[in-house]
Amino acid sequence: MTNTTSAGYRNIRDTAAAYRRGDAVLALGGPDRFAALSYLLAKRTEFAEPGTLVESAVLNAEGGIQDVVLALIGEDEVLLVSELPEFFDVRAALAAGGFNDVTCTPRPDIALAAIEGPASWRAIEPLIELEVSSLLLSESTPATVPGAASATVYRTGTTAEYGYLIVTEGLSAEALLACATERALAVGGGVTDRAALIRAQAEVSHPVVPEQFTGLNVREAGAVWLTSPDRDDEFLGSAALADVAATRSLIAVRATGAEVPAGAEVRAGETVIGTIHLALPAAGEADGFGLALVDLPFNVPGLDLNADGVALRTVSRPAADPRSWVEAIG
């Protein structure tokens, strides 16, 4: 991959990396907005307090995942944030669920950017008044971002490093990313591109949307954690979820000193047991990394496999060593 990708990956793992987040933002309003949110998302939201966020899968009628969204819980509205260029048909889903007293409004005036990495807390600290170590995972605090009518910082992340989401109103996405990049540069980091980001995300089992879910149900994709499987109420896709099973599933694979061959058959000895479902960018790392879709019971770490003559080893995740796990905030 390019030097930009290599540098972006190292920013994520070593210092701080800025990137744009959220290509589509919708606001749910009206008296039934919380019930509607609970219906749309596969993860429980009834205990989510204003000022917090929830990340959840949105299922389709077949028990697959059609999106992974952030729900930013506000006092008067809920913002839904998607990484896809366009949302699924939220209005049609709500109408089918009988939610007629809910507004669904695009919010192009909302911009989002993220900063992740072991030094990201240092980057975000000048934007907030709250002691940065006091901001807990999924919580938010008001922020000051030049040029924005209002701003909020949420603590969240996708790479197992410290991470923060900046949400602004009245500022362009480009201007917000420039601000986030400036803050990351101030602590020795910089920007990251999507290629580096998805490599870092896949290493720690954060979903790669939409590529990871192509042709798979939620169990095959190893994404049950993006749902609340113990729910007994009705929600979008819940009828299919009860019947979803898996005879195959994803497992992370590493290729020492080589790239993982995209789309190749995966073999245990001479027996074909699956395919490479997703080959991740090298991002400057010596070893290739990918997700293999293999038959059960081969979805376990520690197996030696091969694909197109490339030796693979199945690995548990996290398959990286996040510095944020050993370096404290503050």
Side-chain angles (χ1 to χ4, degrees):
M1 303 302 290
T2 66
N3 289 335
T4 300
T5 298
S6 301
Y9 181 83
R10 294 272 39 108
N11 288 338
I12 292 170
R13 292 291 176 219
D14 297 340
T15 51
Y19 64 95
R20 180 177 172 179
R21 187 151 195 200
D23 279 338
V25 182
L26 287 176
L28 297 182
D32 289 341
R33 64 189 181 279
F34 292 118
L37 179 69
S38 180
Y39 175 76
L40 289 173
L41 303 190
K43 189 174 283 187
R44 292 185 182 277
T45 59
E46 63 261 42
F47 304 115
E49 296 289 337
T52 65
L53 63 77
V54 176
E55 186 167 30
S56 172
V58 177
L59 302 182
N60 57 29
E62 293 74 41
I65 292 179
Q66 59 179 318
D67 203 351
V68 176
V69 304
L70 286 178
L72 310 181
I73 314 298
E75 292 283 356
D76 302 315
E77 65 180 7
V78 176
L79 295 179
L80 297 181
V81 181
S82 173
E83 302 303 319
L84 300 179
E86 294 183 0
F87 265 101
F88 62 98
D89 196 337
V90 175
R91 290 185 178 87
L94 291 177
F99 295 94
N100 301 312
D101 202 6
V102 178
T103 61
C104 183
T105 309
R107 291 294 303 273
D109 58 319
I110 300 291
L112 303 95
I115 305 177
E116 296 194 42
S120 60
W121 65 271
R122 297 181 188 274
I124 212 74
E125 195 171 28
L127 302 182
I128 63 176
E129 293 187 6
L130 182 72
E131 168 59 44
V132 66
S133 62
S134 300
L135 187 60
L136 303 180
L137 193 64
S138 299
E139 292 185 350
S140 69
T141 188
T144 300
V145 174
S150 65
T152 305
V153 164
Y154 292 80
R155 184 174 168 192
T156 185
T158 67
T159 62
E161 305 289 355
Y162 296 129
Y164 299 87
L165 178 70
I166 309 169
V167 183
T168 62
E169 186 174 353
L171 191 67
S172 72
E174 293 75 16
L176 178 56
L177 179 58
C179 175
T181 302
E182 181 182 356
R183 293 303 320 134
L185 286 167
V187 297
V191 74
T192 190
D193 62 11
R194 185 174 187 269
L197 181 63
I198 63 173
R199 164 82 182 226
Q201 290 172 335
E203 287 175 336
V204 299
S205 203
H206 189 85
V208 177
V209 183
E211 296 93 330
Q212 181 173 332
F213 303 115
T214 302
L216 305 183
N217 66 43
V218 65
R219 297 190 188 280
E220 292 170 333
V224 174
W225 67 274
L226 286 166
T227 74
S228 293
D230 60 338
R231 289 180 65 172
D232 55 12
D233 58 326
E234 182 182 358
F235 56 93
L236 188 61
S238 59
L241 188 61
D243 298 325
V244 163
T247 59
R248 57 183 188 165
S249 76
L250 294 179
I251 182 73
V253 294
R254 186 186 300 279
T256 302
E259 291 190 6
V260 172
E265 290 185 334
V266 175
R267 297 173 181 268
E270 296 301 318
T271 303
V272 176
I273 62 167
T275 59
I276 299 298
H277 186 72
L278 183 60
L280 279 304
E285 300 302 290
D287 295 344
F289 190 80
L291 302 179
L293 181 63
V294 299
D295 299 332
L296 305 184
F298 293 96
N299 62 329
V300 293
L303 300 182
D304 291 316
L305 308 174
N306 67 88
D308 279 357
V310 176
L312 305 175
R313 187 168 182 83
T314 58
V315 295
S316 59
R317 291 187 278 179
D321 295 316
R323 283 179 52 180
S324 299
W325 289 16
V326 295
E327 295 183 6
I329 296 175

